[in-house]
Structures are given as structure tokens and as C-alpha cells.
Amino acid sequence: MHICMDWRAVKFDWNKARAFLVTAEEGSLSAAARALGMSQPTLGRQVDGLEQELGIVLFQRVGRGLTLTPSGLDLLEHVRDMGQAAGRVSLAALGQSQAIAGTICISASETYATVLLPPIIAKLRLLEPGIRVEIVVSNQASDLRRREADIAIRSFRPTEPDLIAKKIGNAEARLYATPAYIAKLGHPTKPYDLRHADFINLDHSGMMMKGLNTLGLGLTEANFPLMTESYLVMWELVREGAAIGILDAFIGDADPTVRRVLADLEPLTFPMWLVAHRELATSRRIRMVYDFLAEELKRN
């Protein structure tokens, strides 16, 4: 039996519901506006419009943030289901597209987006000028299931069953510093010689120190007086002679202003994976770019 829906009873549009959903998940209008790529006033009008159409108050202001009202909480799960359904529709439609021309979004870390991708994207544009490319630069994994990107370059294999992945190879991370800083350390030759050196930390979890200590460096928190989550900032600090940093050897070895610290030290290795949503495998454009990236990244 087919149940007919009274479409006249639906009093709001998806754009306003999406504005409400993203605002609820981000916690503020400003953060939601950035996530959706629109101005804060426009987003605010959409949320206000939804409240007026439904006749309920969705948010209460708390300081600079927003808190859901009981009515907003009741509505949130329903709208979240709508968002997931909209994402599935978008993925299915894109997956059926056989056109090469169009937009593709690629997610990569700062270093890969800055160094590896530009020559590859330039080559892609010469090959297929009808493809418009958006590059999302983030050191955090983009959520491909929510269409934050079409293709991602990651250092880990995804576990989600609806994602496809191809291992490009293994990257080697090595220690770098300026020749002057290496001389200041007395030209160290053994891992333990670095026990009094300064390093630039890249995370608050202690994983970097733990990884380096597996190589016999014997470091403590005192060895990390500098902290940044930006690889580009870290690299500039290394180039200025502030401390020792760690970076993909393909990138570090190409910089004439720095040298390897303990050139014979065993590198830290990590994989490089190319990831896309499984439904995008039937999109001619996504498949073409995916295969192109895989081939070009293997050459680097």
C-alpha cells in the first residue's frame, strides 16, 4: 500500500533546516556560516525564518554561543535524518554523472596541499580544463560521507565500509634543522646526542615524542618548547634555526636551507592513502581525477 503524503503540510524549506542543523552542530552562527560558506547575517535570517515558519524558538543565546531550547532538541534528530538523506541523494546523483566537466573537491594536509598538489593540479587543468578544482586544506580528516570533500589524501586507511581507498605508498618523515643549529648541537652523530636539543611539537597528545623515542632519542617534554599544529609554521621555525622539526623527506630534502639531523637515523614511516566515497566510483569525473591523482602521487 502506498501512503500519500500531504505535501501542503510541509511549511519550511531544506535550506532553512540545513542552517538550523549546522548551527546546532557548530554551536554558533559564526562557525556555522564558515562551515556553509555564507555570511553570518544570511545564515541568521534563515534560522529566524525557520523559527517563524514553525512557530517555535530553536535557540537561546548563552554568551557568544547558542544553546538549543527543548523544542530545538526535539527537532534536531529529525533534521539530522533529513541532512543524512540529503547527503545520500547528492552522492547518488553525483555518482551517476558521466560528465567530465564540473567541480571536484580534494582534501589534503597543509604540506601536501602546498607542495605536492599544485604541480599535479596544474597538469590536470591542462589535461581537462573543464574541471574546476577546490582544495580543502586541513590537518584533520575531512568527512567524505558528509561531502566535505570528494577525494582525500590521508595518512591512514579508512575503516568506514562506504569508503574506497588505494594505498599510494609509504612516506618517510625525517628530522631537519639549519646547518647553524646542527653546529650549535656539536654535529650530533647518535640519537642520544639530541637529548638536550629543542624540537617543535605538532600535537598535544605526546605521539610525536613517543615516536621519536622509539628511535632512541630519550626526549622529555622539556625538549619541546615550541608547539604548533601548523606544519607550515613548524617548517618556517625550522628554517629560522629555532629548533628541530620533522617532515616528509620528499619535501625536506628539497629545501636547500636545511639539512637532515642524523642523516642515517631510521625514518618514521607512514602510509599515503587516496580515499573517496564508494558511491562516487560511478562518477566519470571523480574516477578520472582519482586515478590521475593516484598515478601522479606515485611518481613523487
Side-chain angles (χ1 to χ4, degrees):
M1 181 179 69
H2 178 69
I3 299 176
C4 294
M5 180 174 178
D6 183 5
W7 292 105
R8 293 171 298 179
V10 179
K11 300 298 185 181
F12 62 92
D13 64 42
W14 164 239
N15 286 329
K16 293 176 183 178
R18 183 184 65 163
F20 161 66
L21 174 61
V22 178
T23 301
E25 292 184 338
E26 295 292 334
S28 70
L29 288 172
S30 58
R34 287 192 298 270
L36 290 173
M38 65 174 61
S39 69
Q40 184 172 331
T42 299
L43 181 70
R45 285 193 294 271
Q46 289 187 351
V47 174
D48 290 343
L50 181 63
E51 289 182 325
Q52 293 173 11
E53 290 175 1
L54 298 178
I56 58 177
V57 177
L58 299 171
F59 294 105
Q60 290 179 335
R61 291 194 174 274
V62 179
R64 295 185 178 181
L66 297 173
T67 299
L68 285 164
T69 63
S71 297
L73 280 171
D74 290 341
L75 188 64
L76 180 59
E77 288 306 313
H78 299 293
V79 178
R80 186 171 282 138
D81 289 341
M82 291 175 59
Q84 292 172 351
R88 289 193 294 270
V89 170
S90 180
L91 280 169
L94 183 59
Q96 296 301 317
S97 173
Q98 295 303 305
I100 288 291
T103 301
I104 189 164
C105 181
I106 303 170
S107 172
S109 66
E110 279 185 316
T111 49
Y112 285 164
T114 303
V115 180
L116 292 185
L117 278 183
I120 295 175
I121 298 304
K123 187 175 180 179
L124 173 65
R125 290 281 300 144
L126 289 175
L127 184 66
E128 294 291 345
I131 295 179
R132 299 182 299 274
V133 180
E134 177 184 354
I135 300 175
V136 175
V137 182
S138 176
N139 293 327
Q140 306 299 320
S142 297
D143 191 340
L144 301 186
R145 294 175 299 172
R146 295 182 61 183
R147 295 297 311 281
E148 292 180 356
D150 299 315
I151 299 173
I153 303 172
R154 293 181 177 175
S155 60
F156 61 93
R157 183 176 187 172
T159 58
E160 299 90 339
D162 48 354
L163 298 183
I164 58 174
K166 177 184 291 187
K167 186 177 180 181
I168 305 301
N170 289 317
E172 295 184 348
R174 294 186 178 273
L175 299 176
Y176 293 92
T178 59
Y181 191 82
I182 294 174
K184 179 182 175 181
L185 296 175
H187 298 284
T189 58
K190 301 183 295 296
Y192 197 61
D193 292 341
L194 298 179
R195 64 189 183 279
H196 299 305
D198 288 337
F199 290 78
I200 304 166
N201 203 354
L202 290 164
D203 67 88
H204 292 284
S205 68
M207 291 300 296
M208 180 177 173
M209 182 175 69
K210 183 178 179 181
L212 292 175
N213 282 341
T214 62
L215 303 179
L217 272 65
L219 305 178
T220 68
E221 291 185 3
N223 292 105
F224 295 88
L226 300 173
M227 166 67 200
T228 177
E229 293 184 350
S230 168
Y231 280 83
L232 297 184
V233 172
M234 178 273 294
W235 196 241
E236 287 305 310
L237 288 169
V238 171
R239 286 163 52 90
E240 291 295 328
I244 297 173
I246 187 168
L247 197 66
D248 188 318
F250 176 81
I251 300 172
D253 288 346
D255 193 324
T257 67
V258 300
R259 300 288 185 273
R260 286 188 186 182
V261 180
L262 301 180
D264 296 329
L265 183 68
E266 180 183 354
L268 291 174
T269 61
F270 54 92
M272 182 187 296
W273 290 88
L274 199 61
V275 186
H277 195 282
R278 189 174 299 279
E279 289 192 44
L280 299 184
T282 55
S283 166
R284 188 180 174 198
R285 177 171 63 255
I286 302 297
R287 171 54 63 183
M288 181 270 170
V289 175
Y290 186 90
D291 292 341
F292 181 81
L293 287 173
E295 190 64 29
E296 292 296 316
L297 287 169
K298 281 183 179 179
R299 297 175 181 174
N300 292 317

